[in-house]
Amino acid sequence: MSLKTRPLHPEFGVEILDCRIGPDLSDEEFLEVRSAWEKNSLVLVRNQDLSPADQEKFTLRFRELEYHVLKEHTFPEHPGVMILTNAVEGGKPMGAHKVGWHWHTDLTYFPKPCDMTMLLGVEIPPEGGDTFFCSLTAAYDALDARQKKRVDGLRAIHSYNYMRAIKYPDAAPLTEEQLDRVRDVEQPLVRLHPVTGRRALYVSEYIIKNFVGMDIPESQVFLAELVSHATEDRFVYRHRWQAGDLIFWDNRATMHKATPYDDVRYTRRMHRSMTAGDAPF
Ligand SMILES: [Fe+2]
């Protein structure tokens, strides 16, 4: 098979056309899909209807699964697939809601953040709820020599608790076990991609508390400059979801941001899975 593709953005992202994604892709087909993902940082395939079981199996072909610190919104039989939704049943939320509405890369507060995140659009509102993605490799490449010198070698403290205190001050406190999983970690500010050899400006809003050797206020000013650069229009792809859209992106090379929608009028439901990853270097 030779995949039919079209670019989504001049810097990154590709849509695979006329393809049915599932755990039963042949090895040859899967390697092509995997290579499209690694080369382009983000893959979109439309009109897919993966069950949670199939999504879990397909994600597993890339690598072993990663699990989010919050477990209550996963499928009991398929804990690798989490529900993101505003839907409520019997007064109980059926999934995580209002998460990721800031620029970030998934799970950077783990020593080994996840390589890949996969999202399946199951129920999509007619307006709102777009996801923005940006290329952190293109953003790094566009820095001038002086800026590269400043960021190369810097290290950042990524803190789930710092983000949670600012973004979700009313959220229920984490259990001791959850707290244990999300201790602050130090990550390089410039990350080398192990497959493509490209460097990425490895930033995230709110999650980075400070840079090593800099206090929090100074770090936040510098971080805001870096995020503002990385999220310039020339590095950003905006995805307007349709039901059946499957997107999987490379967290080693991109950031993303969810956006609000009218959650009183509309229901939105997405299924998310993630693979494990390695310590950034
Ligand atoms: Fe995310």
Side-chain angles (χ1 to χ4, degrees):
M1 158 173 135
S2 197
L3 292 175
K4 265 199 280 175
T5 61
R6 77 174 183 94
L8 293 170
H9 182 279
E11 296 287 356
F12 74 118
V14 74
E15 179 179 357
I16 297 178
L17 304 160
D18 308 327
C19 180
R20 191 174 164 78
I21 292 289
D24 49 356
L25 284 181
S26 69
D27 286 346
E28 186 197 351
E29 290 167 330
F30 176 71
L31 284 176
E32 278 194 56
V33 171
R34 181 187 187 103
S35 160
W37 167 67
E38 281 167 342
K39 267 193 221 144
N40 298 284
S41 307
L42 179 151
V43 169
L44 162 69
V45 201
R46 295 207 123 130
N47 305 310
Q48 304 300 306
D49 64 348
L50 290 162
S51 66
D54 282 352
Q55 182 171 345
E56 198 173 62
K57 277 191 228 153
F58 178 61
T59 310
L60 261 171
R61 290 193 71 177
F62 288 84
R63 197 171 175 164
E64 68 269 29
L65 301 176
E66 179 60 81
Y67 301 94
H68 197 270
V69 67
L70 305 175
K71 288 200 168 56
E72 56 263 44
H73 301 307
T74 56
F75 288 90
E77 305 290 313
H78 307 290
V81 183
M82 185 175 183
I83 304 167
L84 308 178
T85 186
N86 58 322
V88 172
E89 202 173 63
K92 240 183 108 190
M94 292 180 68
H97 182 33
K98 296 186 179 174
V99 291
W101 288 1
H102 59 277
W103 281 108
H104 67 285
T105 289
D106 288 330
L107 308 189
T108 62
Y109 44 84
F110 282 171
K112 295 179 176 181
C114 59
D115 278 356
M116 186 186 78
T117 304
M118 184 179 295
L119 263 189
L120 174 68
V122 178
E123 193 170 350
I124 303 297
E127 57 190 350
D130 298 350
T131 305
F132 289 81
F133 297 92
C134 77
S135 169
L136 295 177
T137 45
Y140 177 81
D141 289 347
L143 294 173
D144 64 31
R146 185 189 55 81
Q147 293 167 317
K148 281 182 181 159
K149 204 171 160 204
R150 183 160 188 217
V151 295
D152 286 342
L154 263 186
R155 298 185 66 80
I157 304 298
H158 291 239
S159 172
Y160 181 78
N161 287 309
Y162 179 75
M163 179 276 292
R164 203 172 147 93
I166 296 174
K167 293 294 286 177
Y168 311 108
D170 302 328
L174 295 179
T175 63
E176 282 299 316
E177 190 201 340
Q178 287 169 328
L179 280 171
D180 211 40
R181 276 196 81 200
V182 290
R183 296 190 188 285
D184 293 1
V185 297
E186 196 178 303
Q187 307 282 20
L189 176 56
V190 176
R191 180 175 190 179
L192 189 66
H193 195 289
V195 177
T196 65
R198 292 183 71 185
R199 287 174 204 282
L201 188 60
Y202 198 49
V203 286
S204 258
E205 275 184 311
Y206 301 108
I207 297 277
I208 292 182
K209 182 165 76 176
N210 66 290
F211 297 104
V212 173
M214 257 188 239
D215 62 21
I216 293 178
E218 188 190 1
S219 299
Q220 290 302 319
V221 171
F222 187 40
L223 177 64
E225 268 174 44
L226 295 175
V227 170
S228 153
H229 164 75
T231 57
E232 283 175 25
D233 285 351
R234 59 187 166 141
F235 307 129
V236 172
Y237 164 66
R238 175 182 193 157
H239 188 67
R240 293 190 169 84
W241 289 90
Q242 298 173 8
D245 283 358
L246 182 73
I247 290 190
F248 36 104
W249 65 85
D250 191 337
N251 285 303
R252 298 165 295 185
T254 58
M255 264 201 300
H256 57 280
K257 175 171 95 162
T259 59
Y261 56 96
D262 186 339
D263 59 359
V264 176
R265 280 173 76 189
Y266 306 124
T267 300
R268 183 177 191 261
R269 182 183 172 105
M270 321 288 283
H271 291 170
R272 182 177 72 186
S273 50
M274 297 185 282
T275 68
D278 298 305
F281 58 89

